[in-house]
Amino acid sequence: MNEHFVREKRVDITWLPNGLTVATERMPEIATATLGVWVGTGSRHEQAHEHGLSHLIEHMAFKGTARRSARQIAEDIENVGGDINAATSVEYTSYTARVLGDNVDVALDVLGDILINSVFDAAELVREKGVILQEYAAVEDTPDDLIYDAFMETAFAGQPVGRPILGTPDTIKSFDAQTIRTFLAREYIPAKMVLAAAGNVDHAQIVDAAERLFGAMPATEARAPETGHYTGGERRIARKLEQANIVLGLPGLSFKDPGYYATHLFAHILGGGLTSRLWHEVRETRGLAYSIDSFHWPFSDCGLFGIGAGTAGADVSELTKVTLDCMRHATEDISEIEMVRAKAQMKVALLTALETPGGRIERMARQLLSWGRIVGSDEIVKKVDALDQEHVREAGRRLLKGNPTVAAIGPIKGLPSLEAITAGMRG
């Protein structure tokens, strides 16, 4: 077996000849093992007629293979006390299982089977498309979910990166087995796949299984997705609801951008916790919203900053003004104590995510797909600690130079115009 192997601190990494990456971290104190296959493809890798296909494939992976029925897939995992799951995002799709360390072979066999041997039975496909249509309808009936889909679509208008992961009723209904197989042949390739495992695992055992299950996949060159370009704009959905849900946004940064950590700290200081500026001013001082938060969503080549809140229709105008004032002031007078607190909270979030095998395999897989290596926590902490107040203020000022995105649903008559919101951001 011609493999490339490295050991990086507690993580062992092997690259199979066809390009598939195997990464493991043995945690002697853990009796269970968590394993998963991450594929570096998601909704942004779909062509227009494939919109929603990544999510459907994730569902169909559990609906039967050449060796197992849908029932047998579940039974083989649950008979050994395990569980199995999958998830689709903008840039990744993952398939994970958790079992006792003694049953790693069972989990690996099932994961390999559903990824390589799924049959996409016509009757199962019809049923699962019906399930996803129900999921789509549920989002349409949930304003605080729907508004974030509208927000992304508006921020990246007409682009795959901005399309909702679920697809549309028309595209969902159009998919057939051949469409799925064509997409899999193009996107589910070894160069874009990481098999990661953590807990009570043995690296050599995982590598042997990976070679057996995935080694015959042909080496294929990965195709880059369409580059994301922030556009901004507005989407207003007037509905008779008790509350208005509003999201204000600006162009963010890729997680590969040197300014990413400063932008993330700015978002946290502005609206990342109970001591944040927005929470204190909007919720505690003025009572304008039950909750309000700011966030920074980074992707591989672009990003999106946003502030989300729900409020009564009568308070929409004041909420918007106060929010813009808070953001503008934060670019001028972030304090040292705010910096210390935000850095500590970021470190806690980072380290907490690594306290479970599931968190560890997700980190390994995402970093290997994005960077080709493991980015250590100490490296991240060092970058965060190097930032000072001016770095973070400047990150905020950079944000405010962008064109805004506004998405709102409900009783939004009092929401200022896009021009007024732009002026409010500029001060």
Side-chain angles (χ1 to χ4, degrees), residues 2 30 75 81-82 89 103 114 179 227 237 241 243-244 261-262 281 304 352 374 397 419:
N2 181 21
I30 302 292
E75 285 181 345
S89 68
N103 301 124
I114 65 175
T179 306
T227 302
I237 307 171
L241 301 169
Q243 188 178 58
Y261 290 108
E281 188 65 25
L304 185 59
T352 299
I374 301 298
R397 290 192 285 269
E419 293 75 18

Side-chain angles (χ1 to χ4, degrees), residues 308-372:
T311 190
D315 293 326
V316 165
S317 179
E318 185 181 359
L319 171 75
T320 306
K321 180 182 183 304
V322 173
T323 297
L324 298 177
D325 287 345
C326 280
M327 187 175 184
R328 209 172 52 250
H329 293 155
T331 67
E332 302 166 358
D333 59 3
I334 287 174
S335 67
E336 177 62 25
I337 186 60
E338 286 178 306
M339 287 290 295
V340 170
R341 184 165 56 230
K343 287 180 179 181
Q345 290 170 326
M346 182 182 282
K347 293 172 190 176
V348 168
L350 170 67
L351 297 174
T352 299
L354 301 179
E355 290 182 350
T356 65
R360 288 182 179 273
I361 66 169
E362 181 167 3
R363 179 196 69 156
M364 288 191 289
R366 286 177 176 266
Q367 290 182 348
L368 286 164
L369 286 168
S370 299
W371 302 98

Side-chain angles (χ1 to χ4, degrees), residues 141-157:
D141 288 342
T142 311
D144 50 348
D145 287 340
L146 178 62
I147 199 59
Y148 282 93
D149 280 350
F151 177 62
M152 278 289 290
E153 284 186 289
T154 306
F156 297 100

Side-chain angles (χ1 to χ4, degrees), residues 64-370:
T65 73
R67 295 168 46 205
R68 293 178 171 94
S69 66
R71 176 80 181 183
Q72 287 170 323
I73 291 170
E75 285 181 345
D76 282 357
I77 289 292
E78 295 189 357
N79 284 349
V80 296
D83 57 68
I84 191 167
N85 206 349
T88 307
S89 68
V90 173
E91 297 191 303
Y92 307 100
T93 307
S94 61
Y95 302 83
T96 56
R98 182 180 57 185
V99 293
L100 291 172
D102 292 341
N103 301 124
V104 164
D105 56 337
V106 175
L108 288 169
D109 190 65
V110 172
L111 288 172
D113 197 23
I114 65 175
L115 285 165
I116 300 297
N117 301 315
S118 286
V119 294
F120 309 117
D121 175 77
E124 290 284 3
L125 186 55
V126 169
R127 278 192 289 269
E128 206 57 32
K129 287 196 286 187
V131 169
I132 294 174
L133 288 170
Q134 292 297 323
E135 191 176 355
Y136 177 91
V139 171
E140 289 289 311
D141 288 342
T142 311
D144 50 348
D145 287 340
L146 178 62
I147 199 59
Y148 282 93
D149 280 350
F151 177 62
M152 278 289 290
E153 284 186 289
T154 306
F156 297 100
Q159 301 169 65
V161 71
R163 292 196 293 244
I165 290 170
L166 293 183
T168 69
D170 285 343
T171 58
I172 293 166
K173 292 174 184 176
S174 73
F175 299 142
D176 57 22
Q178 185 54 49
T179 306
I180 292 174
R181 292 191 179 97
T182 299
F183 184 85
L184 289 174
R186 187 185 78 223
E187 298 292 342
Y188 277 51
I189 59 175
K192 297 175 66 173
M193 297 173 70
V194 174
L195 169 56
N200 185 6
V201 297
D202 176 76
H203 185 73
Q205 178 190 7
I206 305 294
V207 172
D208 286 346
E211 178 66 25
R212 184 176 67 253
L213 297 167
F214 304 108
M217 296 178 70
T220 306
E221 186 176 352
R223 190 185 72 166
E226 179 183 320
T227 302
H229 296 286
Y230 176 91
T231 59
E234 62 180 333
R235 173 90 178 273
R236 298 172 185 244
I237 307 171
R239 283 193 183 176
K240 191 174 181 181
L241 301 169
E242 292 298 320
Q243 188 178 58
N245 283 277
I246 303 167
V247 190
L248 305 176
L250 290 163
L253 298 178
S254 161
F255 53 71
K256 295 183 176 180
D257 192 289
Y260 161 68
Y261 290 108
T263 304
H264 194 79
L265 280 175
F266 181 82
H268 200 88
I269 289 169
L270 184 64
L274 301 183
T275 56
S276 69
R277 293 185 173 212
L278 285 171
W279 183 272
H280 176 76
E281 188 65 25
V282 172
R283 161 72 191 256
E284 297 300 308
T285 301
R286 300 172 184 261
L288 293 173
Y290 176 72
S291 67
I292 185 168
D293 72 300
S294 59
F295 53 87
H296 183 224
W297 294 341
F299 303 108
S300 58
D301 59 356
C302 57
L304 185 59
F305 172 90
I307 300 167
T311 190
D315 293 326
V316 165
S317 179
E318 185 181 359
L319 171 75
T320 306
K321 180 182 183 304
V322 173
T323 297
L324 298 177
D325 287 345
C326 280
M327 187 175 184
R328 209 172 52 250
H329 293 155
T331 67
E332 302 166 358
D333 59 3
I334 287 174
S335 67
E336 177 62 25
I337 186 60
E338 286 178 306
M339 287 290 295
V340 170
R341 184 165 56 230
K343 287 180 179 181
Q345 290 170 326
M346 182 182 282
K347 293 172 190 176
V348 168
L350 170 67
L351 297 174
T352 299
L354 301 179
E355 290 182 350
T356 65
R360 288 182 179 273
I361 66 169
E362 181 167 3
R363 179 196 69 156
M364 288 191 289
R366 286 177 176 266
Q367 290 182 348
L368 286 164
L369 286 168
S370 299

